[in-house]
Amino acid sequence: MPIYSSDSDDGHRYSASSSTRLFGHKSLHAALGGRKVADVVLWRKKSVSAAILLGASFIWFLFEVAEYHFVTLLCHLSITAMLLLFISCHAAPLFNRSPPKIPEIILSESAFKQAAMSFHRRLSQFIINIYHVSSGRDLPFFLLAIGLLWILAVIGTYFSITSLLYLGILCVMTLPVLYENYQDEVNRVAKKGNKNLKKLYRKLDSKVFNKIPRGPVKPKKSK
């Protein structure tokens, strides 16, 4: 009996369900960029992923449960950092070491330029995406975006900004890895939901959108 590797089994499963995958022929890792961020989100680097999730949970606990204020936290962090720098600067000569060069590291011109260029690139891409959605070229996606924003606005009335950010981080750190482990089941549900949304859109298109009065179409002038 021939022995098949796990790669061949994964490939067979992939080809069998590629038509119903949420990301087409791309793997989830490739859809998330295929770099360090994707590794962290999909828990390929478990220590980093766990540290991010625990850090976000700790910050949420401080602000929401312990009712710690941001200004107080900022002052305490500044005091701690100044004390550590004071100790390191005065203890460095005792160990024949040079004091830390924090300003040269943090205030590096190249680091600021790189951060500004990265921010500008991401902001430009975000504005392009917003324009593409708002132009109404893809009407179902436009209505979906409006609906999601409305749902988020309703949720925002019941949660603080800290809880919303923590909920977003929690979803980012859990939903992708859950989908990767249970993608066949999720794809079946997504395919069924997609069919129901298309049926709903066809009903709205025939009963609502087609009845909206439109201006007369001007005939094209022949050159």
Side-chain angles (χ1 to χ4, degrees):
M1 175 180 287
I3 299 175
Y4 296 94
S5 64
S6 60
D7 294 339
S8 61
D9 293 337
D10 293 340
H12 178 70
R13 186 180 66 177
Y14 174 80
S15 61
S17 61
S18 60
S19 59
T20 60
R21 290 175 64 92
L22 292 179
F23 302 98
H25 294 285
K26 285 186 177 181
S27 64
L28 182 58
H29 188 268
L32 293 174
R35 297 184 179 180
K36 295 181 179 179
V37 176
D39 292 337
V40 173
V41 171
L42 296 177
W43 290 74
R44 305 286 173 84
K45 297 182 178 180
K46 295 183 179 180
S47 58
V48 179
S49 303
I52 292 176
L53 190 58
L54 288 176
S57 302
F58 179 71
I59 292 174
W60 175 82
F61 178 83
L62 281 179
F63 288 112
E64 293 298 322
V65 180
E67 297 183 352
Y68 209 69
H69 296 285
F70 178 74
V71 176
T72 306
L73 177 63
L74 185 62
C75 292
H76 287 171
L77 290 176
S78 300
I79 291 172
T80 304
M82 292 177 66
L83 288 174
L84 291 176
L85 285 174
F86 178 82
I87 295 173
S88 61
C89 290
H90 287 78
L94 299 177
F95 298 96
N96 294 324
R97 294 183 179 180
S98 59
K101 299 179 180 179
I102 300 297
E104 296 180 6
I105 298 175
I106 298 179
L107 301 178
S108 174
E109 184 178 357
S110 60
F112 267 96
K113 286 183 178 180
Q114 185 177 1
M117 291 177 63
S118 177
F119 176 76
H120 178 267
R121 183 170 58 253
R122 294 178 183 275
L123 180 62
S124 300
Q125 187 63 37
F126 175 75
I127 293 175
I128 291 173
N129 292 335
I130 290 294
Y131 174 78
H132 178 74
V133 173
S134 302
S135 62
R137 298 175 183 175
D138 190 353
L139 187 58
F141 190 74
F142 172 76
L143 296 176
L144 179 62
I146 294 294
L148 290 177
L149 288 175
W150 181 78
I151 293 173
L152 185 61
V154 173
I155 294 175
T157 59
Y158 298 98
F159 296 93
S160 64
I161 184 64
T162 306
S163 296
L164 283 177
L165 290 175
Y166 176 66
L167 182 62
I169 294 174
L170 191 63
C171 291
V172 169
M173 298 302 296
T174 54
L175 294 181
V177 68
L178 287 176
Y179 171 73
E180 191 178 41
N181 293 328
Y182 303 99
Q183 56 181 327
D184 292 334
E185 292 81 358
V186 175
N187 287 332
R188 283 195 293 268
V189 175
K191 185 179 180 181
K192 186 177 180 180
N194 189 26
K195 289 182 178 178
N196 294 332
L197 286 176
K198 287 182 178 179
K199 290 180 180 178
L200 178 62
Y201 174 73
R202 283 195 293 267
K203 290 181 180 179
L204 290 174
D205 189 41
S206 60
K207 295 181 179 180
V208 179
F209 298 141
N210 285 335
K211 295 182 180 180
I212 298 176
R214 296 178 174 85
V217 179
K218 296 181 179 180
K220 294 182 180 180
K221 295 181 179 180
S222 58
K223 295 182 180 180

